[in-house]
C-alpha cells in the first residue's frame, strides 16, 4: 500500500514538472528601450539602439532605432511609424553619409494589431539561463517568419528578448527597459522630413 502512495506522489510531481510554465501576458500598450542586432545574409551585421512605443488606445505605434559603425559613428537611423488613428504608415530612413533621407508613406486600414498578439499561439520550447537568470522561451512561426520570445521565469509580464528570423535575415532585440502603460504622445510625431 505504501508503494502505491509513493508511486502516486511521483506521478503527480512528474506531471507538475512537465507542465508548461505560465504563458507570457505582456501589455500591448508600452514604451521600451531596446538594443537591436540585425543580420542580413552571411556577412552583414548591424548593432544599434532605439525604442518601441505601442498605444492600443490611440491606434499608434513606432519602432525607431539608430545603428553606429565600429567606431561608434552614426551609420543610419530608421523609424517605422504606424498611425492607424490617421490611416497612414511612415517608413523613414537616414544614412549618415547622405543629405537626403528617404521617407515612404502608405495608407493603412483597420486597427493597430497587438504587438504581442502572437504570444497566445506560441509554443513553449524550454528555458535557458542567461547571466544567472532563468528565462522561459516561446516560439511562433507564420508565413516564413519565426518569432522567439524570452521572459523571466519569475515575471512573465516583461519581455527580455524578441528574435525574428526570416529567409535571408535575423533580428534580435534585447529589452533594456519596459514600461507597461500609455507612452508619451510626442513619440508618434511624424518626422519633419516626411510631412
Amino acid at each position: 500500500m505504501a508503494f502505491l502512495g509513493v508511486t502516486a506522489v511521483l506521478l503527480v510531481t512528474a506531471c507538475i514538472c512537465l507542465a508548461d510554465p505560465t504563458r507570457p501576458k505582456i501589455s500591448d500598450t508600452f514604451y521600451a528601450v531596446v538594443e537591436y542586432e540585425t543580420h542580413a545574409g552571411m556577412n552583414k551585421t548591424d548593432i544599434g539602439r532605439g525604442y518601441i512605443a505601442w498605444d492600443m488606445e490611440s491606434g499608434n505605434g513606432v519602432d525607431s532605432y539608430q545603428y553606429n559603425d565600429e567606431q561608434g559613428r552614426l551609420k543610419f537611423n530608421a523609424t517605422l511609424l504606424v498611425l492607424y488613428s490617421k490611416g497612414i504608415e511612415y517608413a523613414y530612413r537616414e544614412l549618415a553619409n547622405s543629405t537626403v533621407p528617404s521617407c515612404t508613406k502608405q495608407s493603412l486600414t483597420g486597427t493597430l494589431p497587438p504587438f504581442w498578439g502572437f504570444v497566445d499561439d506560441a509554443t513553449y520550447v524550454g528555458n535557458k539561463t542567461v547571466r544567472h537568470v532563468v528565462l522561459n522561451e516561446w516560439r511562433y512561426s507564420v508565413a516564413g517568419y519565426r518569432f522567439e520570445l524570452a521572459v523571466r521565469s519569475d515575471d512573465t509580464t516583461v519581455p527580455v528578448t524578441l528574435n525574428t528570423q526570416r529567409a535571408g535575415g535575423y533580428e534580435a532585440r534585447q529589452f533594456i527597459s519596459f514600461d507597461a502603460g500609455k507612452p508619451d504622445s510626442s513619440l508618434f510625431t511624424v518626422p519633419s522630413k516626411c510631412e
Side-chain angles (χ1 to χ4, degrees):
M1 191 64 130
F3 175 74
L4 290 177
V6 170
T7 302
V9 169
L10 289 175
L11 285 175
V12 169
T13 303
C15 289
I16 291 170
C17 292
L18 295 176
D20 287 350
T22 303
R23 184 171 296 278
K25 287 290 183 199
I26 304 169
S27 175
D28 282 309
T29 296
F30 67 92
Y31 173 79
V33 175
V34 181
E35 287 187 349
Y36 294 84
E37 182 176 336
T38 304
H39 300 271
M42 296 295 292
N43 300 318
K44 184 159 174 24
T45 299
D46 291 308
I47 296 175
R49 190 175 183 118
Y51 63 89
I52 302 169
W54 219 250
D55 186 353
M56 295 301 292
E57 182 183 331
S58 72
N60 298 324
V62 63
D63 190 354
S64 183
Y65 48 91
Q66 175 176 312
Y67 288 100
N68 296 324
D69 64 17
E70 295 80 17
Q71 287 77 39
R73 296 177 301 227
L74 175 65
K75 190 172 182 180
F76 70 88
N77 64 46
T79 298
L80 178 64
L81 177 63
V82 290
L83 302 175
Y84 279 87
S85 60
K86 296 180 179 180
I88 301 173
E89 173 187 284
Y90 296 92
Y92 175 80
R93 183 176 172 137
E94 185 173 17
L95 300 172
N97 56 2
S98 173
T99 57
V100 182
S102 71
C103 185
T104 59
K105 178 173 142 178
Q106 68 180 21
S107 296
L108 291 173
T109 58
T111 58
L112 181 69
F115 192 89
W116 305 105
F118 71 92
V119 174
D120 288 342
D121 297 317
T123 302
Y124 175 69
V125 294
N127 61 33
K128 66 180 178 181
T129 302
V130 176
R131 297 183 182 148
H132 308 290
V133 176
V134 177
L135 303 177
N136 295 334
E137 293 187 292
W138 296 81
R139 186 176 295 153
Y140 177 69
S141 297
V142 63
Y145 285 82
R146 184 168 84 186
F147 300 94
E148 298 173 338
L149 170 67
V151 295
R152 291 176 62 113
S153 62
D154 61 348
D155 185 356
T156 61
T157 65
V158 177
V160 176
T161 62
L162 175 62
N163 302 327
T164 307
Q165 295 181 351
R166 59 182 167 29
Y170 176 83
E171 182 178 87
R173 294 175 174 148
Q174 180 175 357
F175 288 79
I176 305 306
S177 67
F178 183 87
D179 297 316
K182 191 169 184 66
D184 189 306
S185 61
S186 67
L187 295 168
F188 307 113
T189 303
V190 177
S192 60
K193 295 177 181 175
C194 289
E195 293 179 329

